[in-house]
Each structure stands twice: as C-alpha cells, then as structure tokens.
Amino acid sequence: MSEEPTSFSADSYFATQPAPPTLEHDIAGVKEFVARQAKEGRNVVLVTSGGTTVPLELNVVRFLDNFSAGTRGATSAEYFLKAGYAVIFMHRQFSLQPFSRHYSHSTNPFLDFLEIEGSKSGTATPPAISVTHAMRKDLVEVLTAYKSVHAAGTLHTLTFVTVNDYLWLLRALSQELSVLKRKAMYYLAAAVSDFFLPRQKMSEHKIQSGKGSLHIEMDQVPKILKPMVDVWTRGDGFIVSFKLETDEQLLVPKARAALERYGHQVVVGNDLHRRKFEVVFVSRKPLPPLPPGVTVNPIGEETTSSFAESWLRIDIPTSPIVHTNQVKEIEEDIVAELVRRHERWIQGR
Amino acid sequence: MSEEPTSFSADSYFATQPAPPTLEHDIAGVKEFVARQAKEGRNVVLVTSGGTTVPLELNVVRFLDNFSAGTRGATSAEYFLKAGYAVIFMHRQFSLQPFSRHYSHSTNPFLDFLEIEGSKSGTATPPAISVTHAMRKDLVEVLTAYKSVHAAGTLHTLTFVTVNDYLWLLRALSQELSVLKRKAMYYLAAAVSDFFLPRQKMSEHKIQSGKGSLHIEMDQVPKILKPMVDVWTRGDGFIVSFKLETDEQLLVPKARAALERYGHQVVVGNDLHRRKFEVVFVSRKPLPPLPPGVTVNPIGEETTSSFAESWLRIDIPTSPIVHTNQVKEIEEDIVAELVRRHERWIQGR
C-alpha cells in the first residue's frame, strides 16, 4: 500500500474496478419494476441510504466506514411512498429500512411486544402469538402501510456494502431510470466514502499487526455527479444530493460549489448535530414563477444572484421519544418540498 | 495525523485515553447483576461480541471498522444461557443479540409474519395483531426461551461502539467479575481492532476531501490479555480468546504464540471462510486426568509437549437455510466443550 495515489475519472474507475457479481441480476429486477411503474403512470424516486465501506483486504476483515444508520433514507422513503411515488430503496446492508425502522433491535425490540396465548404444552398445535395491547395502536398503523405498499408493489429494495457496489449500482440504476425522463427523482441520501482502495492495491490476507503502526493510503473516489447528470440520466433527472458537515460554516459554500460543478437541481445541506431539526435546500437559480393553483410552503426563500437557499426547521421534541411514529419527522417536510419542486420540474419539460 | 506512532502499554493507554461517559453507570449495573448471580450460585460468562470502530474524527463521520455481524457471540450467549450460566452480553451496538438474532431485518423480517385480525376500521379499539400460523412453531420456541431468561434475570446486556469503549468496559467488567473467582468465564468473541487513533491525534472536524489521497497512520492497541489474566482477574478467570485468520497456515502457530505470551486458558481458532463448520481449541498443556463420572466429547485431542489442539467440525448444511433455529449450530458444541473445561477449571481450584 505504498504506491502513488492514482487519479480516477468515472470512466477510468469503471474500466479498472470489477463489477459486483449480483449486478446483472439487480438490473433485471429494476428494469421490470421501472417498466411496471411507467405503465401505471407513477413517478419513481431512487433513494440511496446508509454508509458505504472501503475494504482494506481482499478477504475482508477490516474496512473504512462512513457513519450512517440510514434514518434519513428509510424515513424519507416512507414519505415518498405516502406521496404516491414508487420507490427504489438502494441501501447499505443492515441499515434501517422503511417501516421496520420503527422497531429496531435496540429501541422497541419486537420480541418484547409479543405474547404467547394460553399454554397448550403437550398438544401438537403451536399456541397463538399476538401483539400486546399496549403496542397495537402504533404497530397497526405501520403494518397497514407496509402491507398496502407490498400489495401495490411500489417498493423495490436493493442492497450494497462497499463503495464499489454503490458506484456500479448507482450508474446502472440511473441508466435504467432515465427512460422515465423527468418523472424520475434521485434522492442521494447515502453517506458515500470520498476515498477508496483500488482492487489492485489491496492486501490479499488480513493485515498483520505486530509490525508497529498501520499506514493506509487511499485514492479519491471519482466525482460521479457530473456524468450522472450529463450522461447517465441525460439531463432529465431531478437530482437531489446531500451535504453533511460538522462545521456549519462550510455548509452553504460547499453546497453552492457542488451545484456549480455538477449542474444538478438541489443540495440538501445538514449539520451533523442538527440534522433532525434543520436542513437547508440550496438550488441554482431563483425558482420560476408558480403555476396558478400551486402553493408553496412559506419557508422564506433568500435569493442571491445565482443561488436560492431555503431553510427548513421543525421544533425540537421536548419530551423523550418513545415511539418514533408519534413524533413529527423533518423528512415529512423535506419530501413534501421536493415533491412540489419535482412537479414543477416535470411541468417545465 | 503525521506525528510519530506512540507505543502504548495497557497502563499508559488508560492514563491517556478518556473513559466513556456511561462507564460508571454500566459498572453499577454489572455490580448488581454479579452480586445477584453469586448469591444464586450461578457461573457467569462475559461474552463480548461484534466489531469495534476506530473513529478518525472527533465529530465522527468516518471510522475504521472490523467485520463482524456478531453471530458467534449472540449464538453462543444463547447456548450458555441454556447451560445454566448467567450471561453478561457486551456487544457492539446494532450487532446481533441472543434470541432476536433469528429475526434480523433482512432474513425473516418480522413485519412479514404479522397479520391484522379482522377489519374494525371506525372503532376506537385497535384490531388484534397476531403471528401467522406458518411462523408460530419456530417463534414460540425462541419467544419461550427469551421470556424465561428475562423472568430469571440471567442476561445482562451492555453496548460499545469504539475500541476505546470496549477496552474500558472490558477492564471494568473483568474487575467486577473477579469476585466470582474461578466461577467466571470470559468468552472474548468480539472482533477488536489492532489499531487505534489516540484522542490527541484526531481531527476535530470531518476530514476534507479534495486534497488528493487520504493518509491514515494508526497506533497499535495495547495487548490487554496479559494484564487481564494477571491483574484484572487475578489469575482466576477462565479466559477464552478467539483468533480469526484468512490464511489457515497461521491459525495454530498464532494461537500457540498468544497462549505463550498471555498465559490464558484457551484460544479458539477459526478460519474466516470455515468458521461456521470448523474451529480448533488450542490450550497450553495436556488436559489433567478427568474426574470420575465426567465424559469428554470424542473430538480427538492431539497433544504436543506444551500445547493441546482439538478440532471441532460439524456437517456443512446442504439445504438452503431458511430458519436459523432449525439448523445445527457449531456454537452449541463450542459452548458444551468450554462448559466441560470450565467445570474442570473450577474443580482444579
């Protein structure tokens, strides 16, 4: 791992790094899903969610990871489904998923709210198991939404682990979704590594300790938003990227720089510690005048010559959060705002 | 992050790296648990499980991680409970846990096996929700075991995230458990990083990309097995460590070296790709003669002058695994063997 870092373009990346073995299978599933949604006239959003890993060894034991439980993506996916969108949920394996997110193994462990009815030991039929009375009200809401989404067939789930899986999937799915033209939205909420270790530089076996300190040198992941905007989606996709910073001062300048550089539609900026209560939508130009009959969330747009920023804030819950689904979630408003903007994007065709 | 690597002993580590804020609270809980088990005469095993992280930034966005879903630890904890042990389950946040491990969000997602009974829309009482008939048989077994463990109060769960959390917790818990003398077992199945980044060298904010490649230089985590054997547990603990390798040739030599260096009781060696079907127990000396009435699993012990190795293998399941709890798990035999050895250790007092 002492070689010189290489500079990868998107093209040279895909030319040198191997495609994940499940890619063809995944593409076939998405192709079918997209064709069905197109026929049924739905808008489709690709939601990416969770962090990516960068394996340091071919037989993976150690990897670099990005922090993300997948809350933003999983929550947003639910609100997109509620808004009538079909959702392709492309997420990090074991990160949160829509609906089941309310019952993680740590908060609300589901075994705690199941009870065995009667005791029929000795009989061949297993006893009935039911949800405790106290949990029914919340669970029935989530379960009803979950079952209706499954019946309608509007949610398609795919998983990735490494940043390499992510990049290959994102390119393939963008190309598949481009047939929907402006009716496709791309909601890139995954926390993607900026760095990776090219296959050619990986150690085959577990890196041995006992030889002093560990040195890792990584290359930069290619900037894929530019080819995604210009080539993969052919300029028609409504593309929303996320910018997470811990230094709030950097948020808006970096969001503007990204829009300038890549030419997509919206950057949602969030500060690590305030991301559940406050985000900023940064877009390139003042929004066009509204069509008659359309109303806009009065979130106070500050306009500069070439950028528009809208801050969205919700109240910080003051009582301890017991069940997530009883508390206002900022993703509800983020999705509502983006659905409005996407509608205008479609009409502006 | 360009400073020289420092060499840390266990002492200098704990003198310079901050204790996690929840440590005192965690210790109080364990103290109470251990006192109760001592009174009720149970053996106690500390099971560590899951991987550790090494944060690269103080406001954590990126971290180095070790691969581990926590299967070995969570599964073994269930078999220890079944064998009558009280279990302190110290695991990586969000890694698998005993009982709920059978129903992860990916395999057997639990929302899929719940059904809403009748449709009482319009009424104030939420409808009943029950487990589908097909799933009852498996679930009733797991749920019964789960509820009886909770009723008996024999499982105590603690979480860690970083390697620093892990080291502080391990030291504190070993000290608490040492009051049980030989009745305490330590089953160190967590996948712990060999490297860390001292607090003093961490970047405050998210490391910025756009400046070429990423260089990380890390220090070695101090070897804590030696003080754990000699000081924390005062030579009385029955300590089982794990060695995971991807190069099978290294397994036995490295296990022997660890026993030689640290002086604990057993190393369980496993190869990354065969760990579900094959492990090797490496211990320092030929085992002492068996007390009358005690039988040993006929797993063929090969004895050298100073080390004994016993291979344990189970059949590789040939049919696809649908429900984990219908398939023989190697942890059942690992735990049975260790319980036997622990019994001899207690008698050899």
Side-chain angles (χ1 to χ4, degrees):
Chain A
M1 283 194 283
S2 57
E3 296 169 50
E4 276 298 289
T6 322
S7 185
F8 283 90
S9 66
D11 283 347
S12 66
Y13 182 93
F14 291 110
T16 57
Q17 304 304 306
T22 51
L23 187 67
E24 291 307 315
H25 174 262
D26 285 345
I27 292 174
V30 167
K31 203 185 277 293
E32 196 191 314
F33 183 80
V34 168
R36 185 156 46 82
Q37 304 307 331
K39 213 167 109 188
E40 295 174 9
R42 283 191 198 90
N43 293 346
V44 179
V45 61
L46 170 66
V47 175
T48 71
S49 186
T52 62
T53 71
V54 179
L56 303 185
E57 298 140 327
L58 285 178
N59 287 292
V60 182
V61 175
R62 299 197 183 90
F63 51 86
L64 190 84
D65 206 336
N66 275 45
F67 165 76
S68 176
T71 310
R72 180 77 91 212
T75 309
S76 301
E78 268 183 45
Y79 289 108
F80 276 118
L81 288 163
K82 217 172 188 172
Y85 275 66
V87 174
I88 298 176
F89 187 67
M90 174 181 145
H91 77 117
R92 161 75 175 274
Q93 190 184 25
F94 306 130
S95 70
L96 293 177
Q97 294 189 44
F99 308 112
S100 70
R101 73 183 172 100
H102 301 280
Y103 306 94
S104 82
H105 288 186
S106 309
T107 58
N108 301 327
F110 82 98
L111 288 173
D112 278 344
F113 58 75
L114 292 179
E115 57 195 2
I116 301 171
E117 289 181 5
S119 82
K120 299 190 188 174
S121 60
T123 69
T125 321
I129 303 171
S130 64
V131 170
T132 58
H133 200 273
M135 289 300 295
R136 274 186 207 169
K137 191 170 172 300
D138 280 344
L139 185 55
V140 89
E141 245 174 72
V142 173
L143 196 57
T144 305
Y146 176 78
K147 292 202 182 281
S148 80
V149 160
H150 275 251
T154 49
L155 174 63
H156 186 76
T157 300
L158 296 158
T159 65
F160 59 84
V161 176
T162 67
V163 65
N164 187 56
D165 298 342
Y166 170 88
L167 292 170
W168 277 96
L169 263 182
L170 183 64
R171 184 175 75 158
L173 269 51
S174 301
Q175 289 165 343
E176 290 305 322
L177 277 162
S178 71
V179 303
L180 298 170
K181 302 205 187 289
R182 292 210 162 196
K183 297 191 80 174
M185 192 197 297
Y186 304 81
Y187 185 86
L188 307 176
V192 182
S193 178
D194 293 316
F195 302 101
F196 80 112
L197 197 59
R199 184 86 174 181
Q200 295 74 9
K201 292 188 186 176
M202 266 188 228
S203 159
E204 188 185 351
H205 289 296
K206 186 175 171 186
I207 300 165
Q208 294 300 319
S209 62
K211 295 175 186 161
S213 62
L214 175 72
H215 298 259
I216 307 168
E217 185 172 302
M218 290 195 187
D219 295 5
Q220 264 194 278
V221 166
K223 301 297 182 192
I224 48 77
L225 263 172
K226 187 79 183 151
M228 183 171 175
V229 171
D230 295 343
V231 184
W232 307 346
T233 66
R234 301 172 205 179
D236 274 336
F238 186 78
I239 300 180
V240 181
S241 73
F242 285 76
K243 183 72 70 189
L244 175 73
E245 292 293 337
T246 63
D247 182 352
E248 207 207 338
Q249 303 295 317
L250 293 175
L251 213 48
V252 170
K254 293 197 72 171
R256 289 178 177 191
L259 290 170
E260 202 75 272
R261 196 172 304 140
Y262 310 124
H264 60 302
Q265 280 64 51
V266 182
V267 175
V268 180
N270 41 170
D271 176 88
L272 182 65
H273 302 291
R274 293 218 292 269
R275 67 193 191 283
K276 296 197 190 264
F277 318 114
E278 180 187 287
V279 300
V280 57
F281 296 91
V282 185
S283 51
R284 252 177 313 149
K285 294 180 202 163
L287 300 167
L290 299 176
V294 176
T295 55
V296 168
N297 201 11
I299 50 177
E301 292 172 5
E302 299 159 27
T303 306
T304 69
S305 57
S306 47
F307 295 102
E309 278 129 43
S310 314
W311 288 89
L312 171 63
R313 296 185 181 91
I314 62 168
D315 290 340
I316 300 176
T318 49
S319 61
I321 296 172
V322 182
H323 305 311
T324 318
N325 45 337
Q326 292 175 333
V327 173
K328 168 77 179 184
E329 295 172 316
I330 195 169
E331 287 80 4
E332 181 174 0
D333 292 352
I334 295 174
V335 167
E337 175 64 19
L338 291 174
V339 165
R340 274 189 291 270
R341 292 186 184 209
H342 187 207
E343 203 45 56
R344 276 185 277 169
W345 173 255
I346 293 170
Q347 287 169 12
R349 184 178 345 223
Chain B
M1 285 196 284
S2 55
E3 294 168 51
E4 276 299 287
T6 322
S7 186
F8 285 89
S9 67
D11 283 347
S12 66
Y13 182 93
F14 291 110
T16 57
Q17 304 304 307
T22 52
L23 186 67
E24 291 308 315
H25 173 262
D26 285 346
I27 291 174
V30 167
K31 202 184 280 293
E32 197 192 312
F33 182 80
V34 169
R36 184 155 46 81
Q37 305 307 331
K39 214 168 106 188
E40 295 174 8
R42 281 191 198 91
N43 293 346
V44 180
V45 60
L46 170 65
V47 175
T48 71
S49 184
T52 63
T53 71
V54 179
L56 304 185
E57 299 139 327
L58 285 176
N59 288 290
V60 182
V61 175
R62 298 197 185 88
F63 52 86
L64 190 83
D65 206 335
N66 274 45
F67 165 76
S68 176
T71 310
R72 180 77 89 210
T75 308
S76 301
E78 269 182 45
Y79 288 108
F80 277 118
L81 288 162
K82 218 172 188 173
Y85 275 67
V87 174
I88 299 178
F89 187 67
M90 175 182 146
H91 77 117
R92 161 74 175 276
Q93 188 185 26
F94 305 131
S95 70
L96 293 178
Q97 294 188 45
F99 308 111
S100 71
R101 73 183 171 98
H102 300 279
Y103 305 93
S104 80
H105 286 176
S106 308
T107 58
N108 301 328
F110 82 98
L111 288 173
D112 277 346
F113 58 75
L114 292 179
E115 56 195 2
I116 301 171
E117 289 180 5
S119 84
K120 299 190 186 174
S121 58
T123 68
T125 321
I129 303 171
S130 64
V131 170
T132 58
H133 198 274
M135 289 301 294
R136 273 186 208 169
K137 191 169 172 302
D138 280 343
L139 186 55
V140 90
E141 243 174 74
V142 174
L143 196 57
T144 304
Y146 176 78
K147 292 201 182 281
S148 81
V149 160
H150 276 251
T154 49
L155 174 63
H156 187 75
T157 300
L158 296 158
T159 64
F160 59 83
V161 177
T162 67
V163 66
N164 187 57
D165 298 343
Y166 171 88
L167 292 169
W168 278 95
L169 264 181
L170 183 65
R171 185 176 73 158
L173 268 52
S174 302
Q175 289 164 345
E176 291 305 322
L177 277 162
S178 71
V179 303
L180 298 170
K181 304 209 186 287
R182 293 210 163 195
K183 296 191 80 172
M185 192 197 298
Y186 303 81
Y187 184 86
L188 307 177
V192 182
S193 178
D194 294 315
F195 302 101
F196 81 112
L197 197 59
R199 185 86 173 180
Q200 295 74 9
K201 293 187 186 176
M202 265 189 228
S203 158
E204 188 185 350
H205 289 294
K206 185 177 170 184
I207 300 166
Q208 294 300 318
S209 63
K211 295 174 186 160
S213 61
L214 176 72
H215 298 259
I216 306 168
E217 186 172 301
M218 290 193 186
D219 294 4
Q220 264 195 279
V221 165
K223 302 297 183 192
I224 48 77
L225 264 172
K226 187 80 184 149
M228 183 168 175
V229 170
D230 295 342
V231 186
W232 308 346
T233 67
R234 301 171 205 181
D236 275 337
F238 186 78
I239 301 181
V240 182
S241 72
F242 284 77
K243 184 71 68 191
L244 176 72
E245 292 294 336
T246 63
D247 182 351
E248 207 206 338
Q249 302 296 317
L250 294 175
L251 215 46
V252 171
K254 294 198 71 172
R256 290 178 176 192
L259 289 170
E260 201 75 271
R261 196 172 302 140
Y262 310 124
H264 60 303
Q265 280 63 51
V266 182
V267 175
V268 179
N270 40 171
D271 176 89
L272 181 65
H273 302 293
R274 294 217 291 269
R275 67 194 191 283
K276 296 196 190 268
F277 318 113
E278 178 187 288
V279 300
V280 57
F281 297 89
V282 186
S283 51
R284 255 177 313 151
K285 294 179 202 163
L287 299 167
L290 298 177
V294 175
T295 54
V296 166
N297 202 10
I299 51 179
E301 291 171 5
E302 300 160 25
T303 306
T304 69
S305 56
S306 46
F307 296 101
E309 278 128 44
S310 315
W311 288 88
L312 172 62
R313 296 186 181 91
I314 61 168
D315 289 340
I316 299 177
T318 48
S319 60
I321 297 173
V322 183
H323 307 310
T324 319
N325 45 338
Q326 292 176 335
V327 173
K328 167 79 177 183
E329 295 171 316
I330 195 169
E331 288 79 6
E332 181 173 359
D333 292 351
I334 295 174
V335 167
E337 175 65 18
L338 292 174
V339 165
R340 272 189 292 268
R341 293 186 182 210
H342 188 205
E343 203 45 56
R344 275 184 278 170
W345 173 254
I346 293 170
Q347 288 169 9
R349 182 178 348 221

